[in-house]
Amino acid sequence: MRKFNIRKVLDGLTAGSSSASQQQQQQQHPPGNREPEIQETLQSEHFQLCKTVRHGFPYQPSALAFDPVQKILAVGTQTGALRLFGRPGVECYCQHDSGAAVIQLQFLINEGALVSALADDTLHLWNLRQKRPAILHSLKFCRERVTFCHLPFQSKWLYVGTERGNIHIVNVESFTLSGYVIMWNKAIELSSKSHPGPVVHISDNPMDEGKLLIGFESGTVVLWDLKSKKADYRYTYDEAIHSVAWHHEGKQFICSHSDGTLTIWNVRSPAKPVQTITPHGKQLKDGKKPEPCKPILKVEFKTTRSGEPFIILSGGLSYDTVGRRPCLTVMHGKSTAVLEMDYSIVDFLTLCETPYPNDFQEPYAVVVLLEKDLVLIDLAQNGYPIFENPYPLSIHESPVTCCEYFADCPVDLIPALYSVGARQKRQGYSKKEWPINGGNWGLGAQSYSEIIITGHADGSIKFWDASAITLQVLYKLKTSKVFEKSRNKDEKPNTDIVDEDPYAIQIISWCPESRMLCIAGVSAHVIIYRFSKQEVITEVIPMLEVRLLYEISDVETPEGEQAPPLPTPVGSANPQPIPPQSHPSTSSSSSDGLRDNVPCLKVKSSPLKQSPGYQTELVIQLVWVGGEPPQQITSLAVNSSYGLVVFGNCNGIAMVDYLQKAVLLNLGTIELYGSNDPYRREPRSPRKSRQPSGGLCDISEGAVVPEDRCKSPTSDIKDNSFSRSRSSSVTSIDKESREAISALHFCETFTRKTDSAPSPCLWVGTTLGTVLVIALNLPPGGEQRLLQPVIVSPSGTILRLKGAILRMAFLDSTGCLVPPAHEPWKEHNVPEEKDEKEKLKKRRPVSVSPSSSQEISENQYAVICSEKQAKVISLPSQNCAYKQNITETSFVLRGDIVSLSNSICLACFCANGHIMTFSLPSLRPLLDVYYLPLTNMRIARTFCFTNNGQALYLVSPTEIQRLTYSQETCENLQEMLGELFTPVETPEAPNRGFFKGLFGGGAQSLDREELFGESSSGKASRSLAQHIPGPGGIEGVKGAASGVVGELARARLALDERGQKLSDLEERTAAMLSSADSFSKHAHEMMLKYKDKKWYQF
């Protein structure tokens, strides 16, 4: 039953919980409009929500693995995520449901499978032979904590070491425990009176699979004979062990210790190490032991045919190297190279030519997983250069503060950005191809180009090519280049309103057609950029200072080059000086009374060399007013056709003509209303209620944003920032009077009810739900545009919605989107030799508004989305044609009017985690899916929708999550995703030669099946571990990806109701059997391959 609830409210706000907005509207507006004529083609079946890809560096990485045959890299994280990387463009993201940290990863080399060990003592087997990997089996240890795993090459038996010092053995085909257990007390026997600590290392002797090397944390190492079930040798050292590595001949191994030493042991000489090395210890005279160093967390021992072996280690620096960056040390023969890293090392792996541990390793590269980066070092080149990383892992180079997403861009844009970005490439990389090159690309079905723009805390802006679910950086712009940098702390200008990141980007406004770019930064600054392929030297950076203050008084709009202060002298209203501590936002205060007329940042006075790409056209800064810092900018819009930029904050609005470099409009928000102000506001000084500069858009908190902004921006303005008022006389009306500009939209439409033709205007939305219209009177194009002034005047048109205005757009009488007028891009650094007529043609707005060509009676629709509701207003009549209350209990964080399937819709993301879409113009609900709760401000600040059903947000400080709300994209996704697994022949095993095999020294094989199988070792204790079958059948995953699974579920429910129960268990068992079958097939093939070989050929 649909419920209607229509109440008359003075300001036109209606509280309704009806989704049947059309019927409601027909009750409100008698039919007489021509609204119903528009045919809407979008239906709910056009929509489906699913995640597509995740880009960026894996946040908080914890584990690393590499398949040397498939050439695939896996990274696990502290939140249970798994990221797989193949050749550039082949990437995959999976998630363990528990969210527990990944402590270790082990590939089943060349089998298309991976074992993950988690901090919650579970092991999982992932099937990588499908585009979206899935878990085939899980095993949960109930009584012991897992500390280390080892899977020998071409073995199906996984060794699992625990915190108690025991080793269990898991069959990876069935994911069941063997009855064979190595107990810690049997392993160490009487060699130690105390518990040896957790197992920190397990590996089999490269030359003898029957001998297992077990490293215990306390410093004890045991060589265990699997057949005789006893220890052959025990090696003790009085320092804790962190890692162990074998020499490929199986006669020596190396241990790394907590005092910064490496010990090299001969297998048959357990009494003492052959050699003890302290790589970073100062060698003292008199043969004393070197000073202890920091622990060596990992060591690898890799041999080469034609030279000395490599010993590669992380950690081990001496304690007096305070402030030294984390290092990877490469010891090769007599040379030791110390490679400094930018972040701490999580793990590293040496990439070798062979997967066989008993062959010369021939290392060629080291992959180093850092806390916030992935580095690949070329071992074959002098100086160990790094490879240029082809993955998009630098999103977080400086914290991301805002994002914009543009799908269906002009085709020439990506090549243009790429060509100027190619000049920014660093030099000195390895000459070799990137060695992690497994997998195959998907078949990109998308033909349109997509661009993502990220704004960063250091003032940089990055443009990314995001076409066909890949991501590649195109071009980086540093906006801070136009400002003077303070050399040291003392020089820091005392006009700053933020303590750190004064250049941080808050808003990006970009016109892809004209390539005009405009940014607003945290220090209340706006910079306008033009795109050029030519290098220029700008002698003087054009700049304007704007004095935007909140003051109620009957003042005319000041116009002119530099907006003069308003006639009411600021000091006179409140003459006593304010003590400096009452500005929580300023870093310091000047001694000469109140700070006035100074901007927060200083623009460079010297000539500026501007490379090809984006070049500064104009810098606009808001200035301090009578001791009040300028408020941060809350909205921004640029229009290339009109040559105007407009921005607003909680004090008011300013419009600038960037062609004539003149301020056209500088009004307090209240002055925009004129005599139509719906609020009774008390005239007062701006300094009575001072608010911290953080107000609406503070992003100085650690990663990106402060937690206290998890409320609606409106409630934030009313309750948060301004409640810390210095004056006790602040009333609720006074709070309301701080009305911020929250949305701006240039368009060519009907400004007033009486208009017979559309004209250029600016629509302004505020945080109190008001929409005001400003008329623009532009001079003719060509020379006249630069000589005659642009005249702007408030039109008197006022519309009201509930909640802060977020987005506005315009439709023509057929329901098609009317984009804002724009200029086509042209190179402006080349002198034009064209006649005036040509120029005139070019300067006319390229408005796609159909109204000019159709008869005057044609109307338009304004689509307005606020935090609470959406309205479609018929123009010029200004009647509300349709209305939809989007949310009663939450608020909309982001609303975008986007095109999809040759039609358009309104897409919204709510703070309660719902993603919704509505048809236009009738605002019928088409999709409402609970997607994710607003867990932090990062998501709120970066979520954006774009055309063709695409959306994205920053899912962690280092990663972008892309999703689609288009059914068509969901269906094509499977094709577009890359393949991780490709059939590759396993390299031949090393041939040891007849005599070497005959007289020992060859690799000894072991029938593990006989040892660990149920027949000889019996069954494992049931209470030790619990087997959990996974959901990961190949068909199931395909079905889920294409949406078929939903249909199956519906059919199954229908069958259930008829009493025809489907046995879930049978299906699961079948999936398990098929997965076990595929693994046993591989094992069988392996067995056949070696069956006919003679004993001396191994």
Side-chain angles (χ1 to χ4, degrees):
M1 170 76 188
R2 281 177 173 164
K3 188 176 105 192
F4 299 106
N5 180 2
I6 305 162
R7 305 190 195 112
K8 276 190 173 178
V9 178
L10 182 69
D11 57 3
L13 289 172
T14 42
S17 59
S18 155
S19 62
S21 52
Q22 205 156 342
Q23 295 169 37
Q24 183 179 328
Q25 292 312 325
Q26 282 166 358
Q27 289 175 27
Q28 282 188 349
H29 306 292
N33 305 347
R34 299 191 334 213
E35 278 86 274
E37 283 176 20
I38 296 177
Q39 279 287 297
E40 293 181 358
T41 54
L42 282 180
Q43 301 301 328
S44 54
E45 56 263 27
H46 289 106
F47 293 89
Q48 185 188 337
L49 195 72
C50 73
K51 292 179 181 178
T52 52
V53 281
R54 185 174 286 203
H55 302 296
F57 181 77
Y59 184 55
Q60 295 179 324
S62 56
L64 182 67
F66 181 68
D67 184 326
V69 181
Q70 285 286 322
K71 301 269 200 290
I72 296 282
L73 188 77
V75 176
T77 75
Q78 290 176 32
T79 52
L82 187 58
R83 291 283 292 281
L84 296 143
F85 298 93
R87 66 181 56 204
V90 176
E91 273 184 51
C92 180
Y93 157 75
C94 323
Q95 178 70 44
H96 293 91
D97 291 340
S98 67
V102 178
I103 55 173
Q104 206 179 343
L105 295 170
Q106 288 264 304
F107 274 101
L108 278 67
I109 292 171
N110 207 23
E111 296 283 349
L114 174 79
V115 173
S116 56
L118 269 56
D120 63 357
D121 310 306
T122 53
L123 301 177
H124 304 273
L125 179 66
W126 289 85
N127 177 7
L128 308 182
R129 290 171 174 248
Q130 52 198 49
K131 289 193 169 184
R132 291 213 146 165
I135 292 174
L136 290 166
H137 303 281
S138 299
L139 194 64
K140 165 85 175 150
F141 280 78
C142 306
R143 297 193 313 218
E144 298 205 47
R145 309 226 57 184
V146 174
T147 55
F148 193 88
C149 297
H150 168 63
L151 180 68
F153 179 44
Q154 293 179 331
S155 162
K156 69 171 186 181
W157 298 97
L158 173 76
Y159 301 109
V160 181
T162 69
E163 198 169 50
R164 287 188 185 175
N166 303 325
I167 291 177
H168 301 280
I169 297 162
V170 176
N171 179 335
V172 289
E173 285 180 3
S174 60
F175 238 56
T176 51
L177 275 178
S178 159
Y180 191 115
V181 182
I182 304 170
M183 302 302 284
W184 68 270
N185 49 353
K186 281 291 277 298
I188 65 159
E189 289 214 326
L190 301 171
S191 63
S192 162
K193 288 177 182 160
S194 56
H195 189 278
V199 174
V200 294
H201 178 83
I202 310 168
S203 60
D204 43 345
N205 184 322
M207 285 300 178
D208 188 351
E209 295 173 349
K211 306 282 196 248
L212 200 63
L213 195 69
I214 306 162
F216 295 98
E217 191 180 66
S218 64
T220 302
V221 178
V222 174
L223 188 68
W224 181 264
D225 187 314
L226 289 164
K227 281 183 191 159
S228 64
K229 301 189 182 176
K230 64 180 203 305
D232 280 357
Y233 299 104
R234 296 186 183 87
Y235 315 83
T236 49
Y237 190 71
D238 51 8
E239 288 293 339
I241 288 178
H242 283 279
S243 76
V244 184
W246 279 103
H247 185 284
H248 85 273
E249 287 175 350
K251 292 173 184 170
Q252 283 191 336
F253 61 88
I254 186 168
C255 301
S256 76
H257 299 278
S258 54
D259 64 345
T261 57
L262 297 173
T263 52
I264 298 175
W265 301 77
N266 275 348
V267 170
R268 291 162 189 259
S269 321
K272 66 175 193 350
V274 189
Q275 199 182 352
T276 303
I277 312 165
T278 312
H280 296 282
K282 290 199 177 77
Q283 294 300 325
L284 302 171
K285 289 170 188 169
D286 317 327
K288 285 181 187 167
K289 268 181 84 176
E291 290 174 359
C293 294
K294 293 174 187 172
I296 295 177
L297 300 175
K298 185 170 181 180
V299 63
E300 292 209 335
F301 199 1
K302 301 295 178 188
T303 51
T304 58
R305 268 192 177 78
S306 55
E308 301 274 351
F310 281 87
I311 295 176
I312 300 165
L313 56 117
S314 63
L317 292 178
S318 66
Y319 280 101
D320 60 5
T321 51
V322 182
R324 178 97 174 261
R325 294 197 293 183
C327 294
L328 186 82
T329 306
V330 180
M331 299 166 73
H332 185 221
K334 291 197 169 71
S335 79
T336 299
V338 180
L339 310 174
E340 288 200 338
M341 302 290 155
D342 289 338
Y343 307 100
S344 54
I345 297 171
V346 175
D347 198 358
F348 73 88
L349 287 172
T350 311
L351 308 190
C352 301
E353 296 291 353
T354 177
Y356 293 94
N358 58 357
D359 193 7
F360 284 101
Q361 299 297 287
E362 302 295 349
Y364 58 88
V366 184
V367 57
V368 190
L369 178 63
L370 305 174
E371 209 175 26
K372 293 184 180 176
D373 202 0
L374 183 77
V375 176
L376 203 59
I377 296 158
D378 184 352
L379 288 179
Q381 231 174 293
N382 280 343
Y384 304 132
I386 62 168
F387 288 86
E388 185 173 8
N389 197 323
Y391 305 133
L393 301 182
S394 61
I395 291 168
H396 63 288
E397 191 178 10
S398 165
V400 176
T401 51
C402 63
C403 279
E404 290 297 336
Y405 190 6
F406 301 86
D408 220 0
C409 301
V411 288
D412 56 347
L413 250 184
I414 288 176
L417 287 164
Y418 182 81
S419 68
V420 293
R423 303 165 193 235
Q424 302 176 326
K425 290 267 165 76
R426 277 176 51 196
Q427 301 300 312
Y429 288 114
S430 165
K431 307 268 188 298
K432 289 204 189 118
E433 287 287 303
W434 181 254
I436 302 162
N437 55 13
N440 277 324
W441 292 307
L443 302 163
Q446 281 168 289
S447 52
Y448 53 88
S449 57
E450 297 172 73
I451 290 176
I452 294 170
I453 306 179
T454 53
H456 299 264
D458 64 354
S460 61
I461 286 177
K462 286 182 182 170
F463 290 79
W464 304 83
D465 176 2
S467 311
I469 70 170
T470 60
L471 192 70
Q472 184 188 4
V473 71
L474 290 169
Y475 170 71
K476 179 178 171 181
L477 167 69
K478 292 181 180 169
T479 65
S480 58
K481 280 205 311 194
V482 298
F483 299 110
E484 298 279 8
K485 302 261 193 325
S486 49
R487 295 271 178 273
N488 54 35
K489 283 276 187 285
D490 307 333
E491 263 187 57
K492 201 169 181 190
N494 50 17
T495 51
D496 282 7
I497 55 172
V498 285
D499 290 335
E500 50 187 46
D501 301 328
Y503 311 113
I505 307 293
Q506 283 191 304
I507 310 173
I508 296 167
S509 176
W510 188 52
C511 172
E513 288 78 16
S514 65
R515 304 184 191 171
M516 287 300 292
L517 171 71
C518 194
I519 64 100
V522 74
S523 297
H525 62 282
V526 170
I527 310 177
I528 302 152
Y529 290 93
R530 276 186 198 271
F531 185 83
S532 170
K533 293 179 180 176
Q534 311 285 322
E535 183 178 292
V536 291
I537 294 190
T538 307
E539 294 297 327
V540 180
I541 299 167
M543 57 171 282
L544 283 175
E545 289 177 0
V546 176
R547 200 178 155 91
L548 194 60
L549 81 160
Y550 172 78
E551 182 78 78
I552 302 173
S553 51
D554 34 10
V555 186
E556 294 160 36
T557 312
E559 288 186 20
E561 176 74 17
Q562 192 135 332
L566 294 179
T568 316
V570 178
S572 66
N574 192 354
Q576 67 273 33
I578 306 281
Q581 58 266 36
S582 66
H583 317 253
S585 51
T586 55
S587 47
S588 59
S589 176
S590 53
S591 53
D592 53 355
L594 295 174
R595 198 170 292 129
D596 197 45
N597 254 356
V598 281
C600 301
L601 301 171
K602 190 165 181 247
V603 175
K604 273 186 183 164
S605 48
S606 52
L608 180 71
K609 177 180 154 187
Q610 306 209 62
S611 307
Y614 274 102
Q615 297 172 351
T616 309
E617 171 83 358
L618 177 64
V619 179
I620 306 163
Q621 293 195 84
L622 294 183
V623 294
W624 284 68
V625 177
E628 272 288 296
Q631 295 302 307
Q632 289 180 357
I633 290 158
T634 54
S635 58
L636 173 73
V638 64
N639 187 290
S640 58
S641 175
Y642 307 156
L644 303 178
V645 66
V646 62
F647 55 93
N649 61 12
C650 62
N651 283 343
I653 185 171
M655 194 189 297
V656 168
D657 177 343
Y658 65 76
L659 297 173
Q660 294 189 24
K661 315 278 187 279
V663 180
L664 300 173
L665 182 74
N666 179 355
L667 281 181
T669 320
I670 299 119
E671 295 168 296
L672 276 173
Y673 287 92
S675 58
N676 302 325
D677 189 356
Y679 299 103
R680 185 179 64 79
R681 316 196 202 215
E682 298 297 321
R684 62 181 188 84
S685 149
R687 277 200 327 281
K688 265 230 183 103
S689 155
R690 66 183 56 230
Q691 68 292 343
S693 64
L696 194 70
C697 299
D698 190 2
I699 43 175
S700 54
E701 176 256 329
V704 188
V705 282
E707 289 305 316
D708 65 7
R709 259 227 65 216
C710 285
K711 298 210 289 282
S712 123
T714 348
S715 65
D716 179 55
I717 283 200
K718 294 182 200 166
D719 314 330
N720 232 1
S721 315
F722 307 114
S723 58
R724 288 172 281 199
S725 155
R726 303 281 155 206
S727 158
S728 57
S729 65
V730 180
T731 60
S732 60
I733 297 259
D734 188 48
K735 280 188 198 170
E736 300 241 66
S737 65
R738 276 298 181 131
E739 181 178 10
I741 307 295
S742 56
L744 294 162
H745 190 87
F746 283 107
C747 55
E748 202 154 313
T749 186
F750 301 92
T751 319
R752 300 174 183 83
K753 287 185 184 181
T754 52
D755 282 6
S756 56
S759 57
C761 55
L762 170 73
W763 285 53
V764 181
T766 76
T767 49
L768 295 186
T770 308
V771 176
L772 304 127
V773 184
I774 294 173
L776 309 174
N777 192 342
L778 298 161
E783 289 295 312
Q784 291 303 304
R785 172 63 186 85
L786 301 174
L787 300 171
Q788 294 183 27
V790 177
I791 297 161
V792 292
S793 53
S795 66
T797 295
I798 293 184
L799 305 165
R800 304 274 309 138
L801 272 78
K802 193 161 53 172
I805 306 298
L806 299 178
R807 191 75 64 214
M808 297 176 278
F810 292 83
L811 313 181
D812 64 19
S813 56
T814 64
C816 294
L817 196 64
V818 180
H822 57 261
E823 283 266 283
W825 176 79
K826 61 175 189 293
E827 180 59 71
H828 64 283
N829 284 333
V830 176
E832 291 192 55
E833 298 166 14
K834 291 171 185 165
D835 53 279
E836 280 302 309
K837 271 186 193 169
E838 193 76 9
K839 256 191 184 175
L840 259 165
K841 264 189 214 163
K842 276 206 160 177
R843 270 249 54 105
R844 273 326 298 151
V846 185
S847 170
V848 198
S849 161
S851 350
S852 45
S853 58
Q854 294 164 352
E855 70 264 28
I856 283 161
S857 64
E858 289 287 7
N859 58 356
Q860 282 188 5
Y861 297 96
V863 181
I864 305 167
C865 175
S866 80
E867 286 181 332
K868 292 286 186 184
Q869 60 180 190
K871 281 187 180 178
V872 174
I873 311 283
S874 187
L875 299 176
S877 68
Q878 294 180 15
N879 293 329
C880 177
Y882 302 102
K883 187 180 79 177
Q884 178 66 255
N885 288 316
I886 299 169
T887 173
E888 293 292 337
T889 53
S890 184
F891 55 94
V892 178
L893 284 162
R894 177 81 184 208
D896 285 295
I897 290 99
V898 290
S899 64
L900 176 72
S901 307
N902 299 319
S903 191
I904 50 165
C905 63
L906 167 67
C908 300
F909 172 53
C910 283
N912 60 11
H914 282 253
I915 286 177
M916 300 186 242
T917 62
F918 301 92
S919 72
L920 287 175
S922 72
L923 294 173
R924 272 180 306 118
L926 297 171
L927 174 80
D928 183 352
V929 178
Y930 175 72
Y931 176 68
L932 89 164
L934 174 61
T935 47
N936 58 28
M937 277 313 299
R938 182 180 53 251
I939 297 171
R941 292 293 290 279
T942 55
F943 200 105
C944 45
F945 297 96
T946 185
N947 298 331
N948 299 336
Q950 307 288 348
L952 66 78
Y953 60 96
L954 212 68
V955 66
S956 75
T958 61
E959 296 162 291
I960 285 174
Q961 177 67 56
R962 285 164 74 177
L963 52 147
T964 182
Y965 47 95
S966 148
Q967 170 70 35
E968 189 188 354
T969 309
C970 285
E971 283 175 0
N972 294 333
L973 186 60
Q974 195 67 10
E975 283 176 29
M976 294 166 69
L977 293 170
E979 301 265 6
L980 280 168
F981 180 79
T982 46
V984 181
E985 189 70 31
T986 302
E988 275 292 312
N991 189 351
R992 284 278 147 186
F994 179 80
F995 289 104
K996 199 157 190 188
L998 191 61
F999 300 110
Q1004 305 289 312
S1005 67
L1006 168 80
D1007 188 346
R1008 295 188 178 98
E1009 187 69 50
E1010 191 186 311
L1011 262 181
F1012 305 144
E1014 210 171 288
S1015 56
S1016 58
S1017 66
K1019 285 193 171 181
S1021 160
R1022 279 197 168 176
S1023 60
L1024 189 61
Q1026 177 196 356
H1027 177 259
I1028 306 155
I1034 293 175
E1035 291 312 310
V1037 172
K1038 275 190 186 159
S1042 60
V1044 175
V1045 98
E1047 298 297 326
L1048 286 172
R1050 278 182 220 118
R1052 187 176 298 156
L1053 283 172
L1055 286 171
D1056 281 354
E1057 283 161 15
R1058 293 193 204 107
Q1060 299 171 359
K1061 295 273 184 195
L1062 291 176
S1063 165
D1064 238 356
L1065 195 61
E1066 273 179 28
E1067 286 185 14
R1068 243 187 210 169
T1069 315
M1072 280 164 55
L1073 280 171
S1074 74
S1075 69
D1077 203 41
S1078 78
F1079 276 114
S1080 61
K1081 247 186 222 154
H1082 283 285
H1084 187 64
E1085 281 167 20
M1086 195 60 62
M1087 190 264 291
L1088 289 176
K1089 190 169 172 184
Y1090 294 109
K1091 192 177 76 168
D1092 298 323
K1093 287 204 173 184
K1094 298 285 184 289
W1095 57 268
Y1096 52 80
Q1097 290 177 310
F1098 281 101

